[in-house]
Amino acid sequence: WLYMTPFIGGIGYVGFLTYRLLRPSQICNPSVNKASKKVVDIIDIEDMTSDKVSYCRCWRSKKFPLCDGSHNKHNEDTGDNAGPLVIKKNS
Amino acid sequence: WLYMTPFIGGIGYVGFLTYRLLRPSQICNPSVNKASKKVVDIIDIEDMTSDKVSYCRCWRSKKFPLCDGSHNKHNEDTGDNAGPLVIKKNS
Ligand code: FES
Ligand code: FES
């Protein structure tokens, strides 16, 4: 029966890939500050340089934690619908 | 050669799964407001009820756009390191 081994291995591998693919939870953040255990950014309103600032929630921005519009490419590439958090202050 | 068809189909399917698994870009947002083309939340500083408010960037919060701590479970489940954006104002 040993000739079955690669076959069983193959089935197992497909099962593993299917599990990884279908499990509901995927990582959000593939690249931002991965050395950190948890990426938390604390923004002081006083430090906001403009009356309206967009903050990234797609984790693809090159200016993270600011949004640089990369969510559009991310949404196109993956079919996602992520977008920024916009903070407005009245001066 | 027709007997090869299921075999070739199987290879193709594994290739597809592998591609889906390994491609770098995964969706961030599995469940928040999926009817919307792009989820953008606009927060007026004046409407902040507290001097320090955490906003969700892991897309798992039940109080989205607010953070409810669900990032901790998300990080444990997936090995991610997502965390909230914290907005502070001095009153
Ligand atoms: S670049 Fe990430 S939300 Fe805009
Ligand atoms: S619940 Fe999503 S960042 Fe905290």
Side-chain angles (χ1 to χ4, degrees):
Chain A
W1 55 272
L2 269 178
Y3 73 95
M4 293 288 282
T5 311
F7 183 67
I8 292 166
I11 298 281
Y13 185 59
V14 170
F16 168 72
L17 288 174
T18 307
Y19 166 75
R20 284 283 301 268
L21 177 65
L22 298 182
R23 72 175 178 180
S25 38
Q26 302 279 359
I27 66 165
C28 304
N29 171 22
S31 55
V32 178
N33 196 359
K34 293 307 281 187
S36 160
K37 203 159 175 296
K38 178 157 70 179
V39 182
V40 178
D41 294 283
I42 300 175
I43 308 291
D44 206 312
I45 285 308
E46 258 88 286
D47 299 340
M48 277 178 49
T49 48
S50 144
D51 286 353
K52 202 173 150 190
V53 181
S54 297
Y55 292 96
C56 180
R57 299 190 294 190
C58 77
W59 299 88
R60 268 65 179 178
S61 173
K62 295 209 164 58
K63 296 181 184 170
F64 200 89
L66 297 171
C67 167
D68 70 352
S70 298
H71 55 265
N72 290 316
K73 181 170 173 5
H74 163 74
N75 288 343
E76 264 174 47
D77 286 353
T78 64
D80 204 355
N81 65 342
L85 179 79
V86 181
I87 304 289
K88 271 175 65 178
K89 63 173 173 183
N90 303 333
S91 50
Chain B
W1 54 271
L2 269 178
Y3 73 95
M4 294 287 282
T5 311
F7 183 68
I8 292 166
I11 298 282
Y13 185 58
V14 170
F16 168 72
L17 287 175
T18 307
Y19 167 75
R20 284 284 301 267
L21 177 63
L22 297 182
R23 71 174 177 181
S25 38
Q26 301 280 356
I27 66 165
C28 304
N29 171 23
S31 55
V32 178
N33 196 1
K34 292 308 282 188
S36 160
K37 202 156 175 299
K38 178 157 67 180
V39 182
V40 178
D41 294 283
I42 300 173
I43 308 291
D44 206 312
I45 285 306
E46 258 89 287
D47 298 340
M48 277 178 48
T49 48
S50 145
D51 285 353
K52 202 173 151 192
V53 182
S54 297
Y55 293 97
C56 180
R57 298 189 296 189
C58 77
W59 299 88
R60 267 67 181 177
S61 174
K62 295 209 163 59
K63 295 180 183 172
F64 201 90
L66 297 171
C67 167
D68 71 352
S70 297
H71 55 266
N72 290 316
K73 182 170 173 3
H74 163 74
N75 288 343
E76 264 174 49
D77 287 353
T78 64
D80 204 354
N81 65 343
L85 178 78
V86 181
I87 303 288
K88 271 176 63 178
K89 63 172 173 183
N90 303 333
S91 48

